[in-house]
Amino acid sequence: NAGVTQTPKFRVLKTGQSMTLLCAQDMNHEYMYWYRQDPGMGLRLIHYSVGEGTTAKGEVPDGYNVSRLKKQNFLLGLESAAPSQTSVYFCASSYSALATDTQYFGPGTRLTVL
Amino acid sequence: LAKITQPISMDSYEGQEVNITCSHNNIATNDYITWYQQFPSQGPRFIIQGYKTKVTNEVASLFIPADRKSSTLSLPRVSLSDTAVYYCLVGPRRGGNKLTFGTGTQLKVEL
């Protein structure tokens, strides 16, 4: 049982390049989340999904797109990377959206945009 | 969304009790309070959750006063391995995009 995994672990992009971050969970969770973590700002929600085929915007969605074609996978895309998107990205999943349900986090992806 | 503030950092010594307070002045009636712990190069992991009064589990206690405008995570007898960033999370029972993390508190435990 791997829990939540993220690929890649590290990535360096040039401004304007695109990339996709992959999140996978093997806990059969309905809900999945993408956060970004920046110094002094904690974790901010980018997008989330309440189930296969559905996605919704979080607090800071601009510049990102997501897809949830399979229940176990949640993809985060950057179509045209900008230096402001340099951050550590975390994926999380939970059984439901209830605040009483624990969110399980992946190990993170450190992205640098030059 | 709830506005959440935490101290940036705290220092302690092994064996001491550490109390980390989270301020959430505009917490809503149906909001829950959850605390997560994060070690370097890892994702956050759940520590404890509560709605009101006091909750205790095997690793921590959570104190929530009657007005619920703040909450305090209490770590008894900390050790070096408790050095981490601690996040307060506030949000309604059906969270979704209304769950808000605090900015985190870096706890450093020394010998």
Side-chain angles (χ1 to χ4, degrees):
Chain A
N1 195 343
V4 179
T5 58
Q6 294 181 231
T7 53
K9 288 186 169 56
F10 303 93
R11 186 71 186 270
V12 178
L13 291 178
K14 294 181 179 178
T15 297
Q17 288 185 317
S18 63
M19 78 163 293
T20 300
L21 281 66
L22 171 64
C23 175
Q25 53 94 5
D26 61 2
M27 296 174 282
N28 201 34
H29 285 169
E30 289 293 336
Y31 284 74
M32 297 186 75
Y33 310 81
W34 275 108
Y35 293 91
R36 60 177 289 173
Q37 184 177 48
D38 302 291
M41 303 189 75
L43 289 144
R44 293 181 293 169
L45 184 64
I46 305 171
H47 285 281
Y48 67 105
S49 169
V50 303
E52 181 179 320
T54 68
T55 63
K57 294 180 179 180
E59 181 186 355
V60 289
D62 293 342
Y64 305 95
N65 57 76
V66 289
S67 64
R68 183 103 179 264
L69 299 180
K70 293 183 179 180
K71 186 177 183 178
Q72 63 268 33
N73 296 336
F74 195 28
L75 279 64
L76 177 70
L78 286 74
E79 290 186 350
S80 179
S84 61
Q85 294 177 304
T86 293
S87 186
V88 181
Y89 292 86
F90 287 98
C91 175
S93 72
S94 63
Y95 180 72
S96 75
L98 296 179
T100 47
D101 272 343
T102 300
Q103 289 191 38
Y104 294 86
F105 285 81
T109 294
R110 185 174 294 275
L111 174 66
T112 301
V113 183
L114 302 175
Chain B
L1 295 178
K3 182 177 179 182
I4 302 166
T5 57
Q6 303 177 230
I8 294 174
S9 64
M10 296 182 70
D11 294 327
S12 184
Y13 294 96
E14 275 201 318
Q16 290 190 332
E17 178 184 72
V18 170
N19 295 309
I20 305 174
T21 297
C22 179
S23 175
H24 29 79
N25 288 325
N26 59 340
I27 189 170
T29 303
N30 59 345
D31 282 351
Y32 283 74
I33 300 156
T34 310
W35 284 82
Y36 283 79
Q37 176 190 55
Q38 184 181 27
F39 296 114
S41 301
Q42 295 184 24
R45 65 176 190 178
F46 174 89
I47 302 177
I48 196 166
Q49 182 181 77
Y51 180 77
K52 62 180 179 180
T53 63
K54 177 183 175 182
V55 179
T56 297
N57 62 21
E58 63 276 9
V59 298
S61 294
L62 178 60
F63 298 93
I64 305 170
D67 66 6
R68 302 199 331 122
K69 292 182 184 294
S70 66
S71 58
T72 299
L73 173 71
S74 180
L75 303 172
R77 297 181 299 282
V78 294
S79 65
L80 293 175
S81 62
D82 292 314
T83 294
V85 179
Y86 292 83
Y87 287 98
C88 172
L89 171 67
V90 177
R93 188 165 183 268
R94 291 198 175 275
N97 66 334
K98 295 182 175 57
L99 295 172
T100 306
F101 277 91
T103 51
T105 299
Q106 171 68 62
L107 171 65
K108 183 179 179 182
V109 180
E110 299 175 294
L111 288 173

